[in-house]
Amino acid sequence: MSPGRSYQKRYGGFIGIRKSARKWNNQKRFSEFLKQYLGMSTRATEFNKSTAMCSCVRSSRALSPVLLPRLLLAPHTGYRLAGRGLWTSPNCLAVSGDAQLLPLPSQARVVICGGGIVGTSVAYHLAKLGWTDIVLLEQGRLGAGTTRLCAGIVSVAKPISIECQMANYSNSLYQQLEEETGVKTGYVKTGSLCLAQNQDRFISLKRLASRLKVMGISCNIIKPKEVAKLHPLVNIHDLVGALHLPADAVVSPPDVNHALAVAAAGQGVQILERTSVQQVQVEKGQVMAVETDRGSIECEYFVNCAGQWGYELGQASETKVSVPLHGCEHFYLLTKPLQEPLPPSTPVVIDMDGRIYARPWQGGLLSGGFEKNPKPIFTEGRNQLEIQNMQEDWDHFEPMLSALLRRMPGLESAEIHQLVNCPESFTPDMRCLMGETPGISGYYVLAGMNSSGLAFAGGAGKYLAEWMTYGYPTANVWPLDIKRFGNLQSSRTFLRHRVMEVMPLLYELKVPRWDFQTGRQLRTSPLYDRLDTQGARWMEKHGFERPKYFVPPGKDLLSLDQSKTFYKPDWFDIVGAEVKCCKEAVCVIDMSSFTKFELTSTKDQALDLLQHLCANDLDVPVGHIVHTGMLNERGGYENDCSVVRLSKNSFFIVSPTDQQVHCWSWIKKHMPNDPHLHLEDVSWKYTALNLIGPRAMDVLAELSYVSMTPDHFPSMFCKEMSVGYANGIRVMSMTHTGEPGFMLYIPIEYALHVYNEVMSVGQKYGIRNAGYYALRSLRIEKFFAFWGQDLDTFTTPLECGREFRVKFDKDTDFLGREALLQQRQDGVSRRFVMLVLEDHDTELDLWPWWGEPIYCNGQLAGATTSSAYSYTLERHVCLGFVSPPLGPEGLPTPITPDFINRGDYEVDIAGQRYPAKAKLYPFSSLFTQQKRRKEDMELSNLQGK
């Protein structure tokens, strides 16, 4: 008997490991003992590596229609543990190094790089949509990367709605794959239990449950006693509740991957193994060919599904593509069958407060987690052999092992089978990367799954296939669009530091308004240091530091920064004072992060392009500002911007911060190849100051010696002026809030001077700094919709009350015109509304933030898109979309003003419904009049006494 097995027999299970580890503490490191305990001699380790190398392939060198009959005839009896791999088929075919390779096709319509579950899902869905000439290339064995090692959990408990939708679709797809292909997928509907150890976590689960119900996903908030009934091993003594998701499932990942490959091959997809992509050839911004180690393939489309190697693959080509992801080691433990083997249908346990998950596995348990101190890895070379060289680390896993034993004390007598170390790729914001890359037509990416590749692969593959087929998927995937990032996030150092924060955050409690702490101060305004010394608290948007609010002298900065809650926040009074100053005096907000472009031409090319892209009429006199949407062919917003006509053939375009890459890409996509038409990103050239309030005109008039009254400077107008000693300041009579004031676009070399002059002159008018939280409150109470929060590519101007910004009768046929005309004829089936909460205690009740379900007459009608406390109305205001019930045949019905004005509305906040009044116009004027009337009555009563 080997030494490891003798120790196992002597000590047994987890307790034995711990006792023996303490006994040997002064003689050996914990990790060395565990290796000996498990029989991990050098020879055994080498053996495990060698078995892992041939453990995960069902096919020979290629999956093609020629080989399909053999694959379908082979018996599929599930997977077992082998070496370092989690799953392997007892009937897998080991392929020798000199086996004959199938010939590489000389051309294809699309080449997909990556034979994991993401790549096979894309191939499967493209084939389902009728694509032909699809080639999938895998550098090693099909599914031999992260797919082989992932834990096999398919759960809809995800942070954002689009991820929940993708996981829900994946669940349905995997369930029916076995019937479709004849390949067993190991699908078992176990359900899952998301545990809460404290009230804040319980609130977050209740909010998730409300959101899932909007999507029609079954879920229940349950008590600890019900948890114990569903899972016999869970210790419930410290739980306050849980979320039960009965439809969640577990699968065998390589089996699912194989089933997708078989189905794709049956549709004509060629799957070639042991073929490495070296670079993608691009000419004039278009994918032309893919170079491999076996030759070139001419193609129109390329899809980067290379997983953890996606970054290097993007950088390998002559035209570099930014794919911002980085790998980390991820550990999970496997036990042998328990004394009372766990049934396969035992629910998955997700204990985010303990940072662990656990699922049944062959009568025992599989348990992993997301530790506070992750271990980043480098993947240069894109060599699959690197996965085999990743070693176990028991010291690193010990905190998760302790958490597991606290949650399931009954496992103390269990025997360990193996500790698995598998690579996972993570992105800077914990959301996957999807879509066409900016600047290269036909180059698509689907990667960076943040340890949810199995759960996302089905839905993500479907949406990307739709994107490639129709121009955009059937759901709003902007939160996942790769164009939300730019080259600034492609730094290796940035990615390495950020993923060390991202991985722990997967299970961290995320309350509203939380911010990343790493990779900060990447992009800053010239005023950053000055504002920081004046108490600015910062948040990050697209890598740009933006002030949230300004802490007055004497406040405890540390406690304020750490006061994160679902209830009334500690900054409430600070932001209230800033809002009051905006309404009564004058405030300054640094809005330099906004995207800024200049479009110029020698003749009318610039005007013609904007007239085609924009729904509003841009043929206005010089100096006028036009607020307009850039629409897609469906009439949805691709961009929401303000355009200034600087001269006859020159335009200044201002867009939201996170639209910098997306808006640039959209304009360039539609620009004709004309050397006399020029688009320039000037975001870095200008510092933007927003002067808000009734005294803003006094400040500017004193600094410029020019009258700033509406008679001399009308609304939505722009002039180049001198402010202080600085010339060439673009002053615009707009504030993005509905309040009076001006936007100043200042060349960066003048920024500090202009700011100092504004603050100096403004002292007599009560000037102060303000941040984006005040801006948010002001714009929401004025019923202003923002792109990325309220507006998206599926929202049309008719649905959000902006038909007045659509000029159907202008001479140029703009994008989306036909779709809007059809919608106007058919009727709008949903509307953007403003809801003011009633019977809601700001001090004691949970706050609405976004994503809350909206009910009308007791029926689900929609969801909120943004929310803020209105200091003017002294109530919470929510913005969102509502729809009437479906018609008799299940089709959308046109919405009417009566449905909105006469309905009884409620907003669901974490399961508690609050009544609300809904309107299609701002409440502010009505409530201001009522408040003034009430104050007058109180004053008269007081005088009467």
Side-chain angles (χ1 to χ4, degrees):
M1 182 181 295
S2 68
R5 298 306 173 200
S6 65
Y7 285 120
Q8 180 174 319
K9 183 176 180 181
R10 178 179 176 185
Y11 294 109
F14 290 107
I15 288 183
I17 290 176
R18 287 187 158 182
K19 286 182 177 177
S20 188
R22 286 194 294 269
K23 180 178 178 181
W24 286 34
N25 188 43
N26 296 326
Q27 303 170 8
K28 284 181 174 287
R29 286 178 55 80
F30 185 38
S31 59
E32 292 301 316
F33 167 71
L34 286 170
K35 286 183 180 179
Q36 189 175 10
Y37 173 86
L38 291 170
M40 292 288 184
S41 64
T42 304
R43 182 178 176 184
T45 303
E46 290 174 356
F47 172 76
N48 285 342
K49 290 179 184 177
S50 66
T51 52
M53 285 298 294
C54 61
S55 64
C56 54
V57 184
R58 286 181 176 270
S59 68
S60 65
R61 286 316 240 306
L63 274 177
S64 67
V66 177
L67 296 174
L68 187 60
R70 182 173 66 179
L71 290 165
L72 294 178
L73 288 173
H76 306 301
T77 58
Y79 282 77
R80 59 180 171 80
L81 187 79
R84 287 177 51 76
L86 173 57
W87 318 93
T88 183
S89 168
N91 304 294
C92 71
L93 301 174
V95 181
S96 62
D98 58 352
Q100 186 178 358
L101 291 170
L102 290 181
L104 192 75
S106 61
Q107 61 182 21
R109 187 181 182 195
V110 56
V111 174
I112 302 167
C113 176
I117 195 166
V118 173
T120 55
S121 176
V122 173
Y124 170 86
H125 286 95
L126 283 174
K128 284 282 186 182
L129 290 174
W131 284 55
T132 57
D133 296 327
I134 303 170
V135 174
L136 188 149
L137 304 178
E138 166 56 47
Q139 65 169 337
R141 301 290 186 85
L142 194 69
T146 302
T147 296
R148 170 172 59 94
L149 297 165
C150 72
I153 299 171
V154 185
S155 174
V156 295
K158 304 301 176 186
I160 58 176
S161 296
I162 186 61
E163 292 180 340
C164 298
Q165 294 173 39
M166 292 195 305
N168 193 43
Y169 173 82
S170 296
N171 192 319
S172 302
L173 174 66
Y174 302 158
Q175 187 174 12
Q176 56 89 25
L177 265 181
E178 184 172 334
E179 181 180 348
E180 180 181 341
T181 64
V183 177
K184 292 184 182 296
T185 58
Y187 182 93
V188 180
K189 187 173 287 187
T190 60
S192 67
L193 297 166
C194 300
L195 310 181
Q197 295 184 28
N198 53 66
Q199 286 296 334
D200 278 345
R201 177 71 68 182
F202 200 34
I203 290 168
S204 73
L205 293 179
K206 289 179 179 179
R207 290 176 61 86
L208 173 60
S210 295
R211 186 156 42 84
L212 292 175
K213 288 176 181 176
V214 172
M215 292 181 275
I217 297 174
S218 176
C219 60
N220 303 290
I221 295 294
I222 61 175
K223 297 179 180 179
K225 289 183 178 179
E226 296 173 83
V227 173
K229 292 178 183 178
L230 290 168
H231 201 299
L233 293 180
V234 174
N235 175 18
I236 64 171
H237 80 281
D238 60 344
L239 299 182
V240 297
L243 171 64
H244 181 218
L245 300 164
D248 281 359
V250 297
V251 296
S252 164
D255 273 334
V256 173
N257 190 55
H258 179 60
L260 289 168
V262 167
Q267 297 284 330
V269 177
Q270 294 186 69
I271 304 178
L272 303 177
E273 296 179 312
R274 303 253 176 113
T275 305
S276 296
V277 174
Q278 295 178 335
Q279 67 170 329
V280 179
Q281 294 180 6
V282 177
E283 292 182 14
K284 297 180 180 179
Q286 171 68 50
V287 169
M288 300 301 294
V290 174
E291 288 187 13
T292 76
D293 57 351
R294 297 175 52 205
S296 296
I297 306 174
E298 293 182 3
C299 60
E300 301 174 48
Y301 299 90
F302 175 76
V303 187
N304 183 342
C305 298
Q308 60 187 320
W309 295 287
Y311 177 93
E312 284 77 21
L313 181 58
Q315 296 295 306
S317 302
E318 200 170 310
T319 304
K320 297 187 184 306
V321 173
S322 176
V323 184
L325 56 80
H326 199 295
C328 276
E329 298 182 23
H330 177 56
F331 297 89
Y332 59 78
L333 180 76
L334 299 166
T335 77
K336 290 187 174 183
L338 307 182
Q339 290 180 351
E340 293 185 14
L342 278 180
S345 59
T346 304
V348 172
V349 173
I350 303 173
D351 184 0
M352 288 182 276
D353 296 314
R355 297 187 171 278
I356 58 170
Y357 60 82
R359 57 152 289 189
W361 184 78
Q362 297 187 4
L365 204 74
L366 180 157
S367 179
F370 298 97
E371 62 274 25
K372 290 185 177 181
N373 56 331
K375 298 172 67 176
I377 56 176
F378 285 107
T379 54
E380 280 81 354
R382 307 192 305 278
N383 190 340
Q384 204 172 64
L385 290 173
E386 292 181 16
I387 295 179
Q388 318 304 332
N389 296 326
M390 294 176 62
Q391 301 297 315
E392 63 186 18
D393 188 338
W394 283 95
D395 290 330
H396 193 78
F397 188 74
E398 199 279 334
M400 288 176 281
L401 177 61
S402 298
L404 176 63
L405 291 177
R406 284 194 299 271
R407 183 54 56 213
M408 299 181 180
L411 291 177
E412 289 186 332
S413 60
E415 295 184 30
I416 296 173
H417 190 103
Q418 189 181 17
L419 181 66
V420 178
N421 181 357
C422 64
E424 293 280 3
S425 56
F426 298 87
T427 63
D429 61 359
M430 299 184 291
R431 303 199 295 266
C432 74
L433 306 171
M434 177 190 293
E436 190 173 22
T437 59
I440 302 181
S441 178
Y443 192 124
Y444 287 81
V445 173
L446 186 55
M449 294 294 164
N450 299 281
S451 200
S452 294
L454 178 69
F456 292 160
K462 171 180 179 286
Y463 288 143
L464 188 72
E466 292 173 346
W467 201 332
M468 296 173 67
T469 305
Y470 307 120
Y472 209 80
T474 53
N476 174 32
V477 297
W478 167 247
L480 314 178
D481 194 328
I482 193 170
K483 289 188 285 293
R484 70 186 187 273
F485 294 120
N487 289 327
L488 58 97
Q489 284 98 354
S490 64
S491 158
R492 259 303 188 192
T493 303
F494 167 80
L495 290 171
R496 186 176 177 84
H497 290 174
R498 176 56 68 85
V499 299
M500 292 179 69
E501 180 184 10
V502 161
M503 190 172 170
L505 277 172
L506 290 175
Y507 276 8
E508 199 75 56
L509 180 66
K510 291 177 283 293
V511 298
R513 308 287 188 268
W514 66 272
D515 300 295
F516 288 107
Q517 300 304 309
T518 55
R520 298 295 295 269
Q521 299 184 31
L522 187 60
R523 305 173 70 197
T524 61
S525 159
L527 305 177
Y528 177 85
D529 290 337
R530 183 70 189 275
L531 299 180
D532 195 56
T533 60
Q534 296 185 57
R537 299 295 93 187
W538 301 95
M539 62 181 180
E540 175 251 343
K541 187 81 165 180
H542 200 59
F544 212 110
E545 297 294 328
R546 312 201 304 182
K548 297 185 287 189
Y549 50 82
F550 287 78
V551 181
K555 283 278 185 179
D556 185 349
L557 305 188
L558 184 62
S559 65
L560 198 61
D561 282 342
Q562 295 176 344
S563 61
K564 296 181 178 180
T565 173
F566 291 104
Y567 292 90
K568 177 184 174 181
D570 287 350
W571 45 256
F572 179 82
D573 292 332
I574 295 174
V575 174
E578 292 178 3
V579 169
K580 182 179 180 182
C581 185
C582 287
K583 289 182 171 292
E584 298 178 358
V586 58
C587 274
V588 180
I589 303 179
D590 185 348
M591 299 179 64
S592 302
S593 67
F594 270 30
T595 298
K596 300 170 277 287
F597 299 141
E598 286 183 358
L599 184 67
T600 58
S601 61
T602 54
K603 295 184 180 178
D604 293 334
Q605 299 97 322
L607 176 62
D608 293 342
L609 175 61
L610 287 176
Q611 289 287 67
H612 175 62
L613 290 177
C614 299
N616 212 333
D617 190 357
L618 273 298
D619 193 5
V620 295
V622 171
H624 282 245
I625 305 171
V626 178
H627 196 100
T628 181
M630 292 185 183
L631 310 181
N632 52 40
E633 292 180 351
R634 302 183 309 276
Y637 280 93
E638 290 291 339
N639 182 29
D640 185 42
C641 57
S642 299
V643 182
V644 183
R645 192 167 195 175
L646 299 175
S647 66
K648 182 180 179 183
N649 299 317
S650 178
F651 296 85
F652 186 60
I653 305 169
V654 180
S655 296
T657 302
D658 54 4
Q659 277 277 283
Q660 186 170 10
V661 178
H662 179 72
C663 184
W664 173 272
S665 178
W666 183 256
I667 296 174
K668 293 291 284 187
K669 180 179 179 180
H670 295 90
M671 275 182 68
N673 187 15
D674 186 342
H676 302 294
L677 180 63
H678 180 64
L679 178 68
E680 182 183 3
D681 187 341
V682 295
S683 300
W684 63 274
K685 286 187 175 182
Y686 294 95
T687 297
L689 292 182
N690 195 350
L691 267 65
I692 306 176
R695 307 311 299 268
M697 67 176 68
D698 298 316
V699 174
L700 274 185
E702 192 167 331
L703 282 170
S704 62
Y705 296 96
V706 174
S707 175
M708 303 299 293
T709 62
D711 292 337
H712 296 87
F713 206 118
S715 177
M716 300 299 285
F717 194 72
C718 175
K719 286 182 183 178
E720 278 205 357
M721 298 171 53
S722 297
V723 178
Y725 297 149
N727 293 318
I729 311 300
R730 292 176 181 170
V731 180
M732 304 181 191
S733 52
M734 57 180 290
T735 63
H736 304 283
T737 64
E739 300 294 332
F742 303 90
M743 285 292 304
L744 277 62
Y745 287 90
I746 311 160
I748 56 172
E749 63 265 33
Y750 301 144
L752 191 58
H753 167 76
V754 172
Y755 173 79
N756 289 338
E757 290 294 299
V758 166
M759 296 301 290
S760 176
V761 170
Q763 292 302 314
K764 68 180 76 170
Y765 302 109
I767 198 168
R768 66 179 292 167
N769 292 298
Y772 274 79
Y773 285 7
L775 184 80
R776 182 183 181 88
S777 175
L778 291 167
R779 72 97 177 166
I780 286 178
E781 73 178 21
K782 286 293 195 300
F783 202 13
F784 280 19
F786 266 27
W787 200 97
Q789 298 175 36
D790 310 300
L791 310 178
D792 57 40
T793 54
F794 288 84
T795 306
T796 72
L798 277 62
E799 294 169 345
C800 59
R802 293 185 170 191
E803 188 170 351
F804 66 95
R805 290 179 179 162
V806 178
K807 299 297 184 281
F808 289 104
D809 56 351
K810 69 177 183 177
D811 295 336
T812 307
D813 187 17
F814 60 89
L815 277 174
R817 181 175 183 273
E818 295 303 318
L820 294 185
L821 288 172
Q822 186 65 48
Q823 187 180 49
R824 188 165 67 172
Q825 179 180 331
D826 298 340
V828 174
S829 59
R830 66 171 189 156
R831 276 302 302 265
F832 190 56
V833 297
M834 181 179 187
L835 298 120
V836 176
L837 297 189
E838 300 180 323
D839 297 332
H840 180 270
D841 192 321
T842 303
E843 299 289 335
L844 302 177
D845 291 332
L846 289 170
W847 276 31
W849 295 99
W850 60 82
E852 292 85 10
I854 302 171
Y855 290 86
C856 179
N857 302 326
Q859 292 187 337
L860 182 66
T864 65
T865 53
S866 57
S867 176
Y869 182 81
S870 168
Y871 295 88
T872 304
L873 309 181
E874 296 181 351
R875 303 188 190 193
H876 260 98
V877 177
C878 300
L879 308 182
F881 287 89
V882 296
S883 303
L886 298 176
E889 298 179 1
L891 298 175
T893 56
I895 194 168
T896 63
D898 278 353
F899 175 80
I900 295 168
N901 295 327
R902 297 185 181 180
D904 293 325
Y905 283 88
E906 296 172 302
V907 175
D908 182 328
I909 306 176
Q912 177 71 39
R913 296 187 188 181
Y914 297 90
K917 285 191 177 295
K919 292 292 181 182
L920 292 170
Y921 54 86
F923 277 77
S924 54
S925 57
L926 172 64
F927 275 85
T928 301
Q929 293 172 6
Q930 290 178 345
K931 184 179 179 182
R932 190 176 296 124
R933 224 178 281 125
K934 181 181 177 182
E935 290 173 348
D936 290 344
M937 289 179 62
E938 289 175 349
L939 181 62
S940 62
N941 291 337
L942 184 64
Q943 290 173 342
K945 293 177 182 178

